[in-house]
Amino acid sequence: MVHIELNSNNELIIDGRHSVIEYSDNLIRVNTNKGIVKIIGINLEIVTMCDSCLEICGTIKCFEFEDKTQINRYSFLYDLVEYSGVMIEQGVDGK
């Protein structure tokens, strides 16, 4: 299972096997065993990367999860979504 955690709109963590396939300061695409995660934002930066964890910081505008059949777009307004074995969770920072 892939676990995606969005903390406010400035940190996104992906737990699970992954590989970065595109990286710029406004777009990061990550291949996981469940599909591709596309992060769109401003001043994006990979601050931690190991075999099972990826931490991205910057101003995150939205992200998409794309599997072979459809694309799902999420913004930082979502609290908790589980889709096709991918857990997407948002930390709310007291709001």
Side-chain angles (χ1 to χ4, degrees):
M1 178 181 270
V2 175
H3 180 95
I4 300 172
E5 184 176 332
L6 180 63
N7 295 312
S8 185
N9 70 331
N10 55 19
E11 180 185 51
L12 186 133
I13 299 169
I14 300 173
D15 287 323
R17 274 186 66 92
H18 64 274
S19 60
V20 176
I21 55 177
E22 188 172 351
Y23 181 24
S24 71
D25 64 347
N26 60 3
L27 172 67
I28 298 175
R29 292 177 63 225
V30 180
N31 189 26
T32 72
N33 61 350
K34 294 291 185 177
I36 295 174
V37 180
K38 178 180 174 182
I39 301 101
I40 301 167
I42 301 167
N43 298 323
L44 299 176
E45 180 180 1
I46 296 174
V47 294
T48 304
M49 183 166 61
C50 62
D51 289 343
S52 62
C53 180
L54 181 69
E55 179 183 359
I56 297 167
C57 290
T59 303
I60 297 167
K61 297 295 186 182
C62 71
F63 68 97
E64 297 174 356
F65 176 74
E66 175 183 340
D67 68 13
K68 294 180 180 173
T69 60
Q70 63 187 32
I71 298 173
N72 296 284
R73 177 172 287 202
Y74 304 97
S75 73
F76 62 90
L77 301 175
Y78 289 88
D79 289 327
L80 182 63
V81 176
E82 185 170 358
Y83 172 76
S84 184
V86 176
M87 181 65 70
I88 300 168
E89 180 178 353
Q90 179 197 350
V92 181
D93 291 327
K95 295 180 183 175

